[in-house]
């Protein structure tokens, strides 16, 4: 039996239980891929796939996401928005706000956000990645479908990672029950996605900015085949683009094939 029991989860979700239809699997390739297949066959908005084990968990740009049954929470939520795909810029930042608020609500300390799709934990050593978000969008006749995939480290992951990883167990977090954590994230998502549908990222910008790991600090944008673009991180604009103050003026960086890093550090280094 899978580690998540949908009946227990429903009880935790309370009055929001009717908004979600949760299927808990022992294993799948990737909850995003599985949910995408189900969406193609007409799965309704609010469908959630949560799994103990992913054989091909994915991050951005085809990178791997490491997870293991006892130490991870990996799930995806299907949501639908009216209007074209272009209206959903900033959705992965909005999802980050929901994850951060949920973990904070459970008592986690030091949770912050890194543009565009990472949830970090600030530790004595600097910042390390606590959770990853992979939003995959597709337009259809009815509007835009979003597959929102979230991986949270409950305990530190095993394996070689290019950048430091963190876990909820290091966040002064007393609650280990994955039902409680999943219910908290889904509950925050229900509110955040409603705000996003009405106001776009503009309605969540202040919440994001307040948790921006490197607000006003020197950062660099790394892109393939281009010299690093260095500047001061001014946060995100109302469309979710990163604002970078450079010697040439303020640049807007759109989420694409670029990575944000602190100047002179790997992922986080020590905050100034
Ligand atoms: P950026 O998003 O800034 O380009 P990133 O390194 O965070 O950089 P993503 O594509 O967002 O890249 O995330 C995938 C990366 O996350 C992988 O390259 C891997 O290094 C790292 N990673 C994989 N599994 C985990 C995990 N369980 N915890 C923390 N980090 C992980
Ligand atoms: C990233 O940091 O690049 C995003 C990582 C997202 C991982 C989650 S785990 C659940 C869902 N299924 C996947 O294959 N990926 C996302």
């Amino acid at each position: 039996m899978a580690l998540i029991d949908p009946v227990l989860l429903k009880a935790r979700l309370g009055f929001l239980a009717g908004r979600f239809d949760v299927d808990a699997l022992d294993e799948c390739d990737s909850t995003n891929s599985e949910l995408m297949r189900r969406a193609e066959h007409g799965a309704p908005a609010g469908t959630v796939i949560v799994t103990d084990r992913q054989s091909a968990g994915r991050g951005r740009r085809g990178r791997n996401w490491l997870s293991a049954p006892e130490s991870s929470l990996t799930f995806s939520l299907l949501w639908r928005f009216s209007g074209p795909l272009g209206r959903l810029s900033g959705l992965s930042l909005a999802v980050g706000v929901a994850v951060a608020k949920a973990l904070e609500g459970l008592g986690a300390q030091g949770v912050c956000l890194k543009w565009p799709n990472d949830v970090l934990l600030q530790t004595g050593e600097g910042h390390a990645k606590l959770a990853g978000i992979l939003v995959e969008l597709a337009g259809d006749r009815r509007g835009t479908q979003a597959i929102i995939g979230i991986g949270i480290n409950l305990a530190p992951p095993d394996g070689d990672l290019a950048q430091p990883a963190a876990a909820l167990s290091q966040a002064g977090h007393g609650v280990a029950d994955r039902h409680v954590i999943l219910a908290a994230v889904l509950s925050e998502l229900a509110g955040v996605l409603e705000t996003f549908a009405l106001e776009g990222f503009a309605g969540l910008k202040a919440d994001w900015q307040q948790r921006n790991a490197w607000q006003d600090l020197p950062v660099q944008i790394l892109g393939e085949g281009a010299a690093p673009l260095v500047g001061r991180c001014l946060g995100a604009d109302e469309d979710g683009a990163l604002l970078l103050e450079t010697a040439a003026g303020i640049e807007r960086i759109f989420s694409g094939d670029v990575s944000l890093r602190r100047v002179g550090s790997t992922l986080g280094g020590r905050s100034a």
Side-chain angles (χ1 to χ4, degrees):
M1 199 172 85
L3 290 168
I4 289 279
D5 176 347
V7 176
L8 284 183
L9 184 70
K10 245 183 170 23
R12 287 278 171 194
L13 281 167
F15 73 96
L16 287 172
R19 303 275 289 275
F20 300 103
D21 181 3
V22 180
D23 194 2
L25 309 176
D26 295 328
E27 179 164 355
C28 66
D29 51 354
S30 142
T31 53
N32 269 38
S33 307
E34 175 64 22
L35 193 51
M36 213 171 287
R37 291 188 288 267
R38 294 194 187 189
E40 278 161 20
H41 289 95
T47 303
V48 176
I49 305 281
V50 54
T51 192
D52 295 351
R53 191 184 295 277
Q54 293 187 123
S55 55
R58 298 186 281 115
R60 287 205 308 154
R61 291 182 264 161
R63 291 167 175 156
N64 294 327
W65 181 257
L66 297 182
S67 60
E70 300 301 335
S71 56
S72 317
L73 182 57
T74 50
F75 62 99
S76 302
L77 165 67
L78 172 62
W79 212 251
R80 290 201 172 88
F81 296 87
S82 58
L85 203 134
R87 290 220 345 227
L88 298 194
S89 63
L91 181 58
S92 65
L93 282 77
V95 171
V97 168
V99 174
K101 281 186 162 181
L103 301 182
E104 288 163 4
L106 295 172
Q109 283 161 21
V111 177
C112 45
L113 298 171
K114 184 193 127 201
W115 184 92
N117 67 323
D118 290 350
V119 181
L120 306 183
L121 186 70
Q122 181 162 24
T123 66
E125 311 297 309
H127 292 93
K129 186 157 163 173
L130 173 63
I133 294 162
L134 179 66
V135 174
E136 297 182 291
L137 302 174
D140 63 22
R141 275 176 293 119
R142 290 171 294 177
T144 305
Q145 161 193 300
I147 308 274
I148 298 167
I150 299 173
I152 302 174
N153 297 327
L154 304 181
D158 267 343
D160 272 346
L161 292 172
Q163 296 171 82
L168 215 42
S169 57
Q170 301 165 302
H173 176 272
V175 183
D177 187 298
R178 62 187 63 231
H179 297 87
V180 174
I181 300 165
L182 180 54
V185 177
L186 291 176
S187 303
E188 287 292 345
L189 274 171
V192 158
L193 295 175
E194 209 166 288
T195 303
F196 190 89
L198 292 172
E199 302 170 39
F201 178 65
L204 296 149
K205 189 183 118 172
D207 284 334
W208 189 87
Q209 200 101 334
Q210 183 190 323
R211 295 173 175 83
N212 180 11
W214 301 330
Q215 183 69 29
D216 295 323
L217 296 175
V219 294
Q220 52 186 328
I221 296 290
L222 307 178
E224 249 166 63
L229 181 60
V230 178
R232 190 165 69 98
C233 179
L234 300 182
D237 74 4
E238 310 229 314
D239 294 325
L242 183 79
L243 296 175
L244 190 68
E245 184 185 53
T246 71
I250 294 177
E251 302 260 356
R252 291 175 79 212
I253 314 289
F254 293 91
S255 172
D257 288 349
V258 296
S259 298
L260 173 67
R261 298 286 180 268
R262 272 300 303 275
V263 168
S265 70
T266 52
L267 175 61
R270 280 180 194 283
S271 28

